[in-house]
């Protein structure tokens, strides 16, 4: 599955310890709207949300947390129907769009953001590098 390959490649390229895990949750627009409203006070659906366990890549432990086999990096929640609609709108395959959204969420877990133009460019560049390393293009 492309999503798994993309996230594994991203973890490797970002030097994330192998004993780390991500929870990837697919829901619908209503479900993601509820998360968005509850945790971000935004009463609207979106395509992807991320809830990091740590404040950034530099804080992720190199070894699993005590008493755990793996260190959770956080949760990524994707609106599956919105991902399908975006794939259609952008002319991508659903697998490519859902992989992109998963990667976008993963980069947020590591501390990447897009609150300003500089951050947006950095995040977009890194996303493009990771996808290109697997032959996945826009």
């Amino acid at each position: 599955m492309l999503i798994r390959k993309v996230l594994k490649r991203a973890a490797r390229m970002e030097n994330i310890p192998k004993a780390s895990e991500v929870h990837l949750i697919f829901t619908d627009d209503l479900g993601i709207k509820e998360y968005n409203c509850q945790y971000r006070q935004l009463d609207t659906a979106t395509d992807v949300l991320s809830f990091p366990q740590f404040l950034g890549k530099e804080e992720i432990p190199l070894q699993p947390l005590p008493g755990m086999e793996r260190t959770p990096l956080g949760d990524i929640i994707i609106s599956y129907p919105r991902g399908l609609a975006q794939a259609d709108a952008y002319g991508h395959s659903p697998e490519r769009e859902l992989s992109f959204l998963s990667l976008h969420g993963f980069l947020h877990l590591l501390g990447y953001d897009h609150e300003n133009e500089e951050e947006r460019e950095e995040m977009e560049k890194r996303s493009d590098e990771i996808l290109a390393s697997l032959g996945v293009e826009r």
Side-chain angles (χ1 to χ4, degrees), residues 112-125:
Y112 286 86
D113 214 338
H114 44 78
E115 292 296 315
N116 61 50
E117 187 63 22
E118 184 179 332
E119 288 178 343
R120 186 196 62 74
E121 287 176 5
E122 178 185 12
M123 188 173 185
E124 188 174 294
K125 179 182 177 202

Side-chain angles (χ1 to χ4, degrees), residues 85-96:
Q86 288 177 182
D88 187 51
Y90 300 146
H92 300 152
S93 71
E95 188 177 36
R96 188 266 179 227

Side-chain angles (χ1 to χ4, degrees), residues 1-8 10 20-28 32 35 47-52 71-80 83 94-109:
M1 172 176 264
L2 184 58
I3 292 172
R4 183 181 303 259
K5 286 180 184 177
V6 167
L7 294 180
K8 282 187 172 191
S20 300
E21 69 182 17
V22 171
H23 299 140
L24 185 58
I25 301 162
F26 290 95
T27 188
D28 58 15
I32 206 162
Y35 282 109
D47 52 2
V48 60
L49 292 171
S50 298
F51 297 96
T71 298
L73 300 179
D75 301 327
I76 302 168
I77 303 170
I78 295 173
S79 170
Y80 187 79
E95 188 177 36
R96 188 266 179 227
E97 185 65 20
L98 294 169
S99 295
F100 170 80
L101 292 174
S102 299
L103 175 59
H104 186 86
F106 183 77
L107 291 175
H108 275 303
L109 295 182

